[in-house]
């Protein structure tokens, strides 16, 4: 009986022990999982040239392999944290016993309780959690044993030195070296390595600024341990101990300059790979991805500068609207204003603009403070902008607590005002659809809304090329005559008759060519052409180009349907690309942390593209069917007409760029928005300006006078080093000499240099060009010297279209 009871009790004990062990190990990674363990790493973003732009991270962390860590650094951490690391098997039992007796003694004294965690246990702690309990310590010990069984000492130490929190939002020794000393680990001296080794215990306790003496005492302890363990000589210890603690000031993680572009990339990546490590091994925050984008730093910087200058230029001379924000300057915590100012969002835009708060007034001068606690004076003469309609200046109405934008110049600090108007701009590569630059507003730090991709606005006359292109697909030509005269249509019995008018009520010009109508952006001609072509065909073409899905009503022909800058710019890029479909994209490809390609924008195969040498055959081309969203000949016809918009139409502001350009201006009703979209054979850029809550910009605001100069400023910088190329003519296009105003075919006269010749080359599809009516009356210029040249001979001698 007693024997049976003993067996039963032993069985119950085994069952309880097994249940305890099962509960303790529940959810812990297995040895097989530990072998493949990868630490969380930030994802790095590169531009089109491969240069690093920024990283997506919530923690400052830079991974360094064990082999690249300085030996002295390894010795410093082992001496400070776990001198028996290379001897024990994950748990230092003797150290635990010592810690128990020490902590019992600390109850009766002022001695600080000590822990007994090995480096392996600290790695395990990062996987188990920070809960302060005996249960967590048991799980931590079990996992430490598993780590020792699955990984080598070097691998465990590598994980530890790249994972441990070391203050200043730095995780791992490389991030800490840069956060505290502004250099990489391989540039640290012995004293700096010893200082880093003290941080895992309590980073804030050993802060190099606020706790300098405690930090030096602990650093010297590590140096003594290194000498006692034989890692350094006594002379080296003495030199290092005498070295001052020269840590740099704490610096926040830098924000990327190209915020709108980078944020759009981030959103795309999160949708594709997930945000955190829980979403998979290739997550954006923790996956250590390498992202190659199409961001062109020159074009991006030029776009930002041009857009900001355009907004400021539009608002020049307007009254000061008041402070950007206000903060509490209460007497109880009057010294807290730098922190409150830091947390206030102000759209600054320009790198030279900074935010400040008014601290006090002395007459009309103001004492202002900055986020770092500094103070200075804002003179009244530098804040003389009139305040609204009060008759007073900004200097007279500033009061303590006002948050303002200022910039420093030769006459001291000067008041600035973030513009109320905003807008968006996109630059796209014609051959591939890669987005080279994107601007979504004045400053992404205070305006997260991306107007390049998220703002739906009416495009106005920039929609007209789609109307004219559709007409050319349905019997019209650039030389077709259309009446620029009053045009009314009966809508419904309820709505009655709708009569259209030209922009600014310009009077009718009578019969004119379609080319002239688009160059001069005539609304009446556009509506007449749209009605004759059929709005169902026009909205179908707009949908194919990706501009929008509209109802077939005539007002759509004048740009009444909403779209985004991204969509409209991509539509133009497809026209410039001979009607071939393009999908705009900001990311070229993504690699995982080991460099393996895991996503690529262009997945077409290209046999022979990576061949070591030319085999004498045709040039290899990417495979895959190219989708045409517009007839290539039609695309060139409308492109050729849009060249005239720049040469003698509403886009002449771009003539100083002195290169082949095509594009179209746009001005909506109000006018609420002004647009320009256009480009070269290589790139297309589109932009708009307008208030976020649409309202009139003023009658003087037009696409040609407000938006086009922004494009010109961008082009002067962005296109400076790009080749000057004529637009490519697709097969099947006939270039015929016509009278520019009448559209009639011309014989014996050649186009003159300049932008307003009487005779031009016009693009026609076969059998659509104007015919010779009376052969006897077609007299060539017999007075010119030399033989009569054919059109082909002239084109060849002039190097293309003239």
């Amino acid at each position: 009986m007693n024997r049976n009871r003993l067996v039963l009790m032993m069985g119950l004990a085994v069952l309880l022990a097994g249940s305890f062990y099962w509960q303790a190990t529940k959810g812990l990674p297995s040895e097989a999982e530990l072998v493949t363990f990868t630490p969380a790493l930030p994802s790095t973003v590169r531009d089109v040239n491969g240069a690093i732009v920024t990283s997506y991270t919530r923690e400052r962390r830079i991974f360094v392999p064990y082999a690249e860590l300085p030996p002295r650094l390894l010795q410093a951490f082992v001496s400070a944290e776990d001198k028996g690391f290379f001897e024990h098997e994950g748990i230092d039992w003797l150290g635990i016993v010592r810690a128990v007796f020490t902590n019992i003694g600390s109850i009766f004294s002022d001695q600080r309780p000590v822990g007994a965690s090995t480096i392996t246990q600290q790695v395990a702690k990062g996987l188990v959690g920070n809960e302060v309990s005996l249960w967590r310590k048991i799980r931590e010990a079990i996992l430490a044993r598993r780590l020792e069984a699955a990984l080598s000492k070097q691998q465990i130490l590598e994980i530890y030195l790249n994972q441990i929190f070391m203050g200043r939002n730095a995780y791992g020794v490389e991030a800490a070296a840069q956060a505290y000393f502004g250099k990489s680990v391989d540039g640290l001296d012995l004293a700096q390595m010893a200082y880093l080794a003290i941080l895992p215990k309590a980073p804030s306790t050993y802060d190099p600024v606020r706790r300098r003496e405690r930090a030096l005492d602990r650093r010297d302890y590590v140096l003594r341990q290194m000498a006692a363990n034989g890692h350094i000589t006594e002379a080296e210890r003495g030199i290092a101990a005498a070295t001052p603690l020269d840590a740099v000031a704490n610096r926040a993680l830098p924000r990327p300059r190209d915020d709108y572009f980078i944020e759009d990339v981030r959103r795309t990546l999160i949708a594709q790979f997930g945000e955190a490590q829980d979403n998979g091994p290739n997550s954006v925050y923790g996956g250590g991805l390498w992202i190659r984008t199409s961001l062109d730093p020159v074009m991006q910087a030029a776009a930002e500068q041009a857009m900001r200058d355009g907004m400021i230029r539009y608002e020049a001379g307007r009254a000061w609207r008041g402070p950007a924000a206000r903060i509490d300057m209460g007497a109880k915590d009057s010294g807290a204003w730098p922190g409150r100012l830091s947390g206030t969002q102000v759209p600054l835009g320009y790198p030279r603009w900074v935010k400040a708060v008014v601290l006090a007034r002395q007459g009309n001068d103001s004492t202002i403070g900055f986020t770092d606690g500094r103070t200075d004076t804002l003179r009244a003469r530098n804040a003389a902008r009139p305040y609204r309609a009060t008759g007073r200046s900004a200097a007279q109405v500033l009061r303590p607590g006002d948050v303002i934008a200022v910039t420093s110049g030769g006459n001291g600090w000067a008041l600035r005002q973030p513009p109320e108007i905003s807008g968006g701009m996109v630059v796209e590569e014609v051959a591939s659809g890669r987005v080279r630059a994107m601007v979504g507003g004045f400053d992404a730090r205070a305006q997260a809304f991306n107007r390049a991709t998220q703002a739906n606005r009416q495009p106005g006359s920039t929609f007209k090329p789609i109307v004219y292109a559709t007409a050319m697909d349905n019997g019209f030509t650039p030389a077709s005559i259309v009446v620029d005269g009053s045009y009314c249509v009966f809508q419904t019995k309820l709505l009655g008759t709708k009569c259209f008018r030209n922009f600014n009520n310009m009077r009718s010009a009578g019969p004119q060519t379609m080319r002239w109508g688009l160059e001069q952006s005539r609304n009446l001609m556009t509506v007449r052409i749209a009605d004759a072509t059929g709005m169902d065909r026009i909205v179908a073409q707009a949908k194919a180009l990706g501009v929008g899905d509209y109802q077939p009503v005539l007002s759509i022909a004048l740009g009444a349907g909403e779209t985004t800058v991204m969509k409209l710019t991509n539509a133009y890029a497809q026209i410039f690309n001979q009607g071939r479909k393009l999908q705009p994209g900001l990311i070229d490809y993504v690699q995982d942390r080991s460099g393996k390609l895991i996503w690529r924008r262009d997945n077409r195969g290209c046999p022979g593209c990576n061949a070591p040498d030319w085999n004498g055959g045709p040039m290899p081309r990417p495979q895959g069917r190219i989708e045409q969203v517009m007839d290539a000949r039609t695309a060139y016809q409308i492109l050729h007409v849009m060249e005239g918009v720049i040469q003698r139409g509403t886009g002449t502001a771009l003539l100083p760029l002195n290169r082949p350009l095509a594009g179209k201006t746009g001005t909506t009703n109000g006018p609420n928005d002004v647009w320009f979209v256009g480009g070269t054979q290589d790139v297309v850029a589109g932009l708009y300006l307008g208030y976020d809550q649409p309202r009139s910009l003023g009658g003087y605001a037009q696409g040609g006078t407000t938006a086009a100069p922004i494009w010109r400023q961008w082009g002067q910088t962005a296109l400076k080093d790009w080749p000057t190329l004529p637009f490519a003519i697709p097969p099947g296009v006939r270039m015929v000499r016509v009278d520019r105003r009448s559209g009639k075919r011309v014989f014996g006269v050649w186009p003159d240099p300049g932008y307003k010749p009487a005779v031009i080359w016009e693009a026609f599809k076969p059998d659509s060009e104007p015919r010779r009516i009376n052969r006897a009356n077609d007299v060539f210029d017999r007075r010119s010297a030399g033989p009569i040249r054919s059109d082909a001979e002239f084109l060849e001698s002039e190097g293309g279209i003239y």
Side-chain angles (χ1 to χ4, degrees):
M1 182 66 179
N2 291 337
R3 184 179 179 182
N4 291 339
R5 184 176 296 174
L6 181 61
V7 171
L8 180 62
M9 291 179 65
M10 290 179 63
L12 184 59
V14 171
L15 182 62
L16 289 173
S19 176
F20 178 83
Y21 184 79
W22 180 79
Q23 285 290 337
T25 58
K26 185 179 179 181
L28 294 180
S30 65
E31 291 183 15
E33 291 173 321
L34 290 172
V35 170
T36 59
F37 170 76
T38 52
L41 291 177
S43 294
T44 304
V45 181
R46 297 177 181 269
D47 64 20
V48 71
N49 302 315
I52 294 177
V53 178
T54 188
S55 62
Y56 299 122
T57 179
R58 294 190 177 96
E59 303 169 347
R60 188 182 301 186
R61 189 194 305 276
I62 305 170
F63 183 82
V64 181
Y66 180 87
E68 297 180 17
L69 292 168
R72 285 283 174 86
L73 183 69
L74 301 173
Q75 294 160 2
F77 274 87
V78 171
S79 297
E81 292 292 308
D82 185 5
K83 66 179 180 180
F85 172 71
F86 287 99
E87 285 75 41
H88 63 63
E89 295 181 351
I91 302 173
D92 184 3
W93 298 109
L94 185 59
I96 292 174
V97 173
R98 284 198 304 267
V100 169
F101 282 104
T102 300
N103 292 339
I104 291 174
S106 69
I107 298 174
F108 306 102
S109 66
D110 294 332
Q111 187 177 358
R112 181 179 178 272
V114 298
S117 292
T118 64
I119 285 178
T120 310
Q121 285 177 281
Q122 292 184 58
V123 173
K125 179 182 176 181
L127 300 174
V128 172
N130 293 322
E131 179 189 357
V132 181
S133 67
L134 178 61
W135 182 250
R136 193 266 296 171
K137 293 295 292 184
I138 292 172
R139 286 168 57 83
E140 179 186 294
I142 293 172
L143 186 55
R145 295 286 295 159
R146 287 187 181 179
L147 281 166
E148 292 282 346
L151 305 174
S152 67
K153 289 288 187 179
Q154 290 76 12
Q155 289 174 311
I156 294 172
L157 195 54
E158 179 185 272
I159 294 172
Y160 173 74
L161 292 176
N162 283 288
Q163 288 287 99
I164 194 71
F165 175 64
M166 303 180 72
R168 294 193 175 183
N169 197 34
Y171 290 77
V173 292
E174 175 64 23
Q178 297 191 16
Y180 287 95
F181 301 110
K183 59 180 73 172
S184 186
V185 288
D186 57 6
L188 298 177
D189 59 33
L190 178 58
Q192 293 167 337
M193 292 179 185
Y195 173 75
L196 292 187
I198 74 176
L199 293 174
K201 287 290 184 187
S204 60
T205 301
Y206 303 118
D207 183 271
V209 178
R210 293 181 293 108
R211 303 284 189 272
R212 178 177 291 270
E213 292 304 318
R214 297 187 68 174
L216 287 171
D217 289 343
R218 183 66 182 175
R219 183 196 69 175
D220 292 347
Y221 164 76
V222 173
L223 290 170
R224 289 194 299 271
Q225 288 295 105
M226 293 181 70
N229 296 333
H231 299 311
I232 60 175
T233 65
E234 188 61 31
E236 289 175 319
R237 185 205 64 77
I239 294 172
T243 303
L245 185 55
D246 55 348
V248 299
N250 191 11
R251 294 172 294 179
L253 286 171
R255 289 180 59 89
R257 184 191 64 194
D258 318 302
D259 296 282
Y260 287 110
F261 192 107
I262 298 305
E263 174 60 16
D264 207 85
V265 170
R266 188 188 71 90
R267 292 174 182 171
T268 303
L269 290 170
I270 288 176
Q272 180 75 23
F273 300 106
E275 185 170 358
Q277 275 195 304
D278 295 342
N279 302 122
N282 295 320
S283 61
V284 176
Y285 291 96
L289 304 178
W290 293 91
I291 303 106
R292 176 65 71 92
T293 70
S294 53
L295 175 68
D296 186 311
V298 175
M299 289 190 171
Q300 178 69 30
E304 291 176 353
Q305 185 73 30
M307 285 293 287
R308 288 168 182 159
D309 288 353
M311 296 175 198
I312 295 297
R313 189 164 54 244
Y314 171 79
E315 296 213 349
R318 283 175 169 75
W320 188 62
R321 295 187 301 274
R326 282 192 54 79
I327 60 175
D328 184 13
M329 301 292 290
K332 290 184 179 180
D333 53 355
S334 58
W337 60 263
R340 292 175 182 169
L341 179 61
S342 296
T344 304
Q345 295 294 339
V346 178
L348 300 172
Y350 293 104
R352 289 177 57 93
W353 285 21
V354 296
K355 58 185 173 182
V357 61
V358 178
L359 300 177
R361 288 275 306 277
Q362 303 88 32
N364 286 335
D365 293 343
S366 297
T367 300
I368 56 176
F370 303 94
T371 55
D372 59 1
R374 292 182 299 112
T375 62
D376 211 324
T377 301
L378 175 64
R379 300 294 181 187
R381 65 175 181 270
N382 293 333
R385 199 167 186 170
Y387 175 60
R388 295 180 180 171
T390 62
R392 294 185 294 171
S393 68
Q396 294 173 308
V397 299
L398 286 173
R399 57 196 177 107
D402 286 348
V403 178
I404 57 177
V406 294
T407 186
S408 179
N411 296 321
W413 292 101
L415 181 68
R416 292 292 180 262
Q417 177 168 252
E420 192 175 12
I421 194 174
S422 196
M425 182 174 186
V426 172
V427 181
E428 184 174 335
E429 192 175 86
V430 169
S432 63
R434 300 161 76 207
V435 176
R436 290 298 194 109
M438 177 191 293
V439 178
F442 185 73
D443 185 358
R445 288 169 291 186
Q447 304 170 336
F449 183 67
N450 189 341
R451 296 158 189 82
T453 59
Q454 296 175 301
N456 285 294
R457 315 289 291 206
Q458 292 183 344
S461 294
T462 52
F463 186 84
K464 288 178 181 176
I466 299 173
V467 176
Y468 281 66
T470 309
M472 292 178 195
D473 261 342
N474 290 275
F476 285 84
T477 75
S480 295
I481 299 297
V482 180
V483 175
D484 178 39
S486 59
Y487 196 74
C488 302
V489 294
F490 178 76
Q491 299 177 105
T492 63
K493 188 174 182 181
L494 179 63
L495 297 176
T497 300
K498 165 72 174 177
C499 290
F500 294 88
R501 60 185 181 181
N502 283 321
F503 175 76
N504 226 12
N505 286 322
M506 286 186 291
R507 63 182 182 179
S508 304
Q512 301 289 340
T513 63
M514 277 184 60
R515 166 180 283 278
W516 185 88
L518 187 62
E519 289 179 355
Q520 304 303 320
S521 198
R522 307 295 281 199
N523 288 351
L524 293 175
M525 292 181 67
T526 303
V527 172
R528 193 181 297 271
I529 292 167
D531 201 21
T533 303
M535 282 305 303
D536 54 338
R537 293 189 176 101
I538 291 169
V539 297
Q541 181 64 79
K543 184 176 182 180
L545 289 168
V547 178
D549 192 357
Y550 306 123
Q551 294 296 316
V553 295
L554 274 177
S555 59
I556 295 296
L558 299 180
E562 293 182 339
T563 189
T564 66
V565 180
M566 176 72 84
K567 291 178 180 178
L568 192 60
T569 303
N570 185 61
Y572 273 64
Q574 292 172 99
I575 293 173
F576 281 50
N577 195 34
Q578 300 188 359
R580 293 187 284 258
K581 186 176 180 63
L582 292 173
Q583 190 66 37
L586 284 67
I587 304 172
D588 290 344
Y589 58 84
V590 179
Q591 298 166 283
D592 66 13
R593 65 177 66 207
S594 63
K596 180 182 177 183
L597 188 69
I598 58 176
W599 185 88
R600 187 175 67 181
R601 179 172 178 269
D602 189 349
N603 285 312
R604 294 177 298 166
C606 187
C609 284
N610 291 327
D613 200 0
W614 181 47
N615 60 7
M619 182 69 70
R621 302 285 183 185
Q623 296 175 329
R625 178 176 173 270
I626 297 175
E627 182 180 350
Q628 289 286 150
V629 292
M630 179 183 288
D631 187 303
R633 300 168 300 175
T634 302
Y636 180 76
Q637 283 182 299
I638 196 65
L639 175 61
H640 189 44
V641 173
M642 285 195 289
E643 284 190 87
V645 173
I646 308 299
Q647 294 167 353
R648 51 192 165 266
T650 58
T652 54
L654 273 65
L655 284 177
L657 293 178
N658 195 29
R659 62 168 60 232
L661 293 170
K664 184 68 184 75
T665 58
T667 309
T668 65
N669 285 338
N672 292 345
D673 295 316
V674 289
W675 290 73
F676 184 83
V677 187
T680 69
Q681 179 63 58
D682 296 312
V683 291
V684 170
L687 67 97
Y688 90 91
L689 285 187
Y691 293 107
D692 286 343
Q693 297 298 323
R695 69 175 192 264
S696 176
L697 300 176
Y700 56 87
Q702 297 179 27
T705 58
T706 308
I710 297 175
W711 203 103
R712 180 184 64 212
Q713 180 180 338
W714 168 81
Q716 286 169 341
T717 300
L719 301 177
K720 181 174 61 176
D721 297 327
W722 283 67
T724 302
L725 300 174
F727 291 102
I729 307 176
V733 172
R734 292 176 59 92
M735 300 306 296
V736 176
R737 288 169 292 157
V738 300
D739 179 84
R740 180 170 61 84
R741 294 306 303 269
S742 70
K744 293 182 179 180
R745 190 166 184 174
V746 173
F747 298 90
V749 180
W750 303 98
D752 296 324
Y755 294 124
K756 293 186 178 181
V759 176
I760 62 171
W761 291 103
E762 193 61 273
F764 294 93
K765 296 170 186 173
D767 299 325
S768 68
E769 66 272 20
R771 297 292 181 181
R772 180 180 299 181
I773 299 173
N774 187 345
R775 194 174 186 85
N777 293 330
D778 294 333
V779 181
F780 287 82
D781 187 2
R782 301 293 183 182
R783 293 169 296 177
S784 60
I788 298 173
R789 298 180 294 170
S790 67
D791 288 0
E793 290 172 330
F794 178 80
L795 285 172
E796 183 177 357
S797 67
E798 296 297 330
I801 302 176
Y802 200 74

